[in-house]
Amino acid sequence: MNIKPLAYRMRPRSIDEIIGQEHLVGEGKIIARMVKAKQLSSMILYGPPGIGKTSIASAIAGSTKFAFRTLNAVTNNKKDMEIVVAEAKMSGKVILLLDEVHRLDKAKQDFLLPYLENGMITLIGATTSNPYHAINPAIRSRCQIFELKSLETVDLIKALERALHDEERGLGAYNTEVGLEALTHFATASNGDVRSALNALELAVISTEPDESGTIKIDVHIAEECMQKKSFSHDKDGDAHYDVLSAFQKSIRGSDVNAALHYLGRLVEAGDLVSIARRMVVIAYEDIGLANPQAGPRALAAVEAAERLGFPEARIPLANSVIELCLSPKSNTAITAIDSALSDIRSGHSGDVPDHLKDAHYKGAAELGRGIGYLYPHDYENGWVKQQYLPNKLRSKKYYKPKKSGKFEQALASVYENIEKKK
């Protein structure tokens, strides 16, 4: 039995074997063009764990036939880097994959920089941290920066199936039968980490006894044991997913913290950070709105923190924000106001812009009556003067109807009502 893990053995040998990351390695894309021209530049690959940073580096090396070495910025010392440089001097070029490149200290960095400058070493730095925040500018300025995207379930299933049928490096020598439900669980429970999914699949195959016919049958229960994660009936692309998202938003709108946390938990288990993030920001502006204007920026900050952390830690800022959204006063006046205005526009109720509001910054505007009679509000007490702004056919229309559920909108309502009285 091969002692190297399946994920290691199944690393792509050329960029044609890379699964996912089409925006970088697809036909005509930047890394594919570099490899085809054999004109590599140093680069930093960043994104969540297990989505292909090392795979892309090894595939680039395999496609170009350059020597390839892997080091870790934390655990490997300057002496290890000196060995790589010595090899580069002999062979002419070495591709160096430097994992955790954001942890590169100044001594190692100063040693490497001259060899990056003269092209003897092509650095491929791998990191889960945003390089614009975490990597020293001296390294960053000498590298192209590429963001890797999380792998979709279909990509992970493709990787698993490839490993099952590969007799040279994978599990093709075993007579296996893996159900679709089990494959899907390996793919979804790994939260986009192909390394985790492949190694769990290998554990399942080599630890399961064959049946009477000599077939190793892997069902969802075995997949659960090997992933150490229960199967969750939640298809990201199915109706159940949208039902949970709907219940999530309605629970927050209804100020039910416990229900909202329950549905958040289901979405977290499904590993769907993108949908959670989008829905939370929408909720903050649609359902809380002007009743708590800071809920929107704070929800966005929580989402950004979650995206940087990744699961499982992402659940923490998300829960903080969901609890605030639930217990905030609610107001939908902004969305109803803009939708009411859009309804008029789409129904043909718009009318001409009043002449005194039209653009007057061009020669001949005065002759056309543009801008004449416009009253500049800052010339008047409290920065307000009675003046018509809506088109004639809508001059009495009121779109905004304030609620007084939160202190901020109470203050807005007071100003709004005072202006309306003066009109």
Side-chain angles (χ1 to χ4, degrees):
M1 185 179 71
N2 198 318
I3 61 171
K4 291 179 179 177
L6 179 63
Y8 181 92
R9 304 197 308 271
M10 290 302 298
R11 281 181 182 171
R13 294 164 292 191
S14 67
I15 63 167
D16 295 333
E17 292 185 3
I18 293 172
I19 292 174
Q21 313 309 334
E22 286 293 316
H23 64 297
L24 297 175
V25 300
E27 182 69 30
K29 300 303 180 182
I30 181 63
I31 291 180
R33 293 205 309 272
M34 281 188 195
V35 169
K36 186 175 182 180
K38 290 187 169 52
Q39 292 293 322
L40 300 179
S41 62
S42 291
M43 65 186 76
I44 293 169
L45 307 175
Y46 83 102
I51 62 169
K53 296 184 288 294
T54 304
S55 294
I56 287 180
S58 62
I60 289 171
S63 295
T64 57
K65 307 303 181 186
F66 292 131
F68 175 58
R69 297 293 175 262
T70 301
L71 295 178
N72 185 293
V74 179
T75 59
N76 289 106
N77 55 33
K78 185 180 170 184
K79 182 72 174 175
D80 298 318
M81 294 182 179
E82 289 173 353
I83 294 170
V84 173
V85 168
E87 184 175 356
K89 288 177 178 177
M90 287 188 289
S91 64
K93 180 181 280 291
V94 168
I95 296 175
L96 172 61
L97 172 65
L98 191 59
D99 206 7
E100 295 192 79
V101 66
H102 63 285
R103 302 281 296 278
L104 191 68
D105 64 36
K106 191 173 188 304
K108 295 173 188 173
Q109 171 189 294
D110 290 345
F111 175 75
L112 282 176
L113 284 177
Y115 303 103
L116 301 186
E117 293 282 6
N118 64 25
M120 196 173 288
I121 288 181
T122 298
L123 174 69
I124 302 180
T127 178
T128 57
S129 300
N130 187 327
Y132 293 101
H133 300 309
I135 292 179
N136 189 293
I139 290 289
R140 197 174 67 227
S141 66
R142 290 164 172 81
C143 298
Q144 300 267 8
I145 295 176
F146 300 125
E147 181 179 8
L148 274 63
K149 306 296 184 184
S150 293
L151 296 176
E152 299 292 335
T153 300
V154 65
D155 296 324
L156 290 158
I157 290 176
K158 184 177 178 182
L160 293 167
E161 289 179 332
R162 178 185 290 178
L164 283 169
H165 295 105
D166 190 316
E167 294 188 6
E168 178 190 349
R169 297 179 296 156
L171 303 168
Y174 295 88
N175 182 17
T176 57
E177 186 179 301
V178 184
L180 180 58
E181 190 179 1
L183 272 179
T184 303
H185 182 64
F186 284 122
T188 56
S190 61
N191 287 325
D193 186 335
V194 69
R195 184 190 303 116
S196 172
L198 284 169
N199 291 338
L201 174 65
E202 181 173 40
L203 174 61
V205 170
I206 65 177
S207 65
T208 302
E209 292 289 333
D211 63 10
E212 295 81 1
S213 65
T215 303
I216 298 171
K217 293 185 177 179
I218 309 297
D219 60 20
V220 71
H221 302 295
I222 295 172
E224 288 174 344
E225 289 180 356
C226 294
M227 289 298 301
Q228 284 298 290
K229 191 170 184 181
K230 284 288 185 185
S231 177
F232 182 60
S233 179
H234 187 137
D235 177 5
K236 283 188 190 181
D237 300 314
D239 292 341
H241 178 61
Y242 295 101
D243 289 342
V244 172
L245 281 170
S246 176
F248 178 54
Q249 178 160 1
K250 288 169 181 171
S251 297
I252 294 176
R253 183 184 294 147
S255 303
D256 191 321
V257 176
N258 298 305
L261 288 170
H262 168 77
Y263 293 116
L264 174 65
R266 289 171 69 162
L267 293 165
V268 166
E269 279 296 288
D272 193 0
L273 183 53
V274 173
S275 293
I276 296 170
R278 182 178 182 278
R279 195 58 64 110
M280 282 178 58
V281 175
V282 168
I283 290 166
Y285 286 97
E286 177 180 346
D287 295 306
I288 286 82
L290 295 171
N292 177 10
Q294 287 305 307
R298 282 200 288 264
L300 183 58
V303 162
E304 289 174 346
E307 288 172 343
R308 182 173 296 185
L309 289 169
F311 289 128
E313 289 83 358
R315 74 193 189 284
I316 304 167
L318 296 176
N320 274 270
S321 183
V322 164
I323 291 168
E324 179 189 3
L325 294 174
C326 280
L327 300 181
S328 289
K330 306 297 190 292
S331 174
N332 67 342
T333 54
I335 187 174
T336 55
I338 185 60
D339 284 353
S340 180
L342 286 169
S343 177
D344 272 351
I345 292 162
R346 289 164 181 167
S347 301
H349 303 303
S350 54
D352 291 333
V353 174
D355 284 344
H356 62 282
L357 299 183
K358 289 180 179 177
D359 179 27
H361 293 86
Y362 59 93
K363 190 175 181 180
E367 285 79 358
L368 295 173
R370 305 293 194 258
I372 295 174
Y374 171 64
L375 304 177
Y376 187 56
H378 296 292
D379 290 339
Y380 298 85
E381 186 179 357
N382 298 322
W384 185 85
V385 60
K386 184 177 180 181
Q387 184 171 217
Q388 181 183 335
Y389 292 96
L390 277 167
N392 283 329
K393 65 192 297 185
L394 296 170
R395 62 189 303 169
S396 299
K397 191 76 177 184
K398 290 182 174 59
Y399 296 114
Y400 177 53
K401 297 175 183 177
K403 288 184 177 179
K404 298 182 180 179
S405 50
K407 289 183 179 179
F408 183 84
E409 196 165 16
Q410 287 174 20
L412 292 183
S414 176
V415 173
Y416 179 70
E417 289 163 2
N418 188 37
I419 289 172
E420 290 301 306
K421 285 176 185 175
K422 288 180 181 177
K423 285 183 181 178

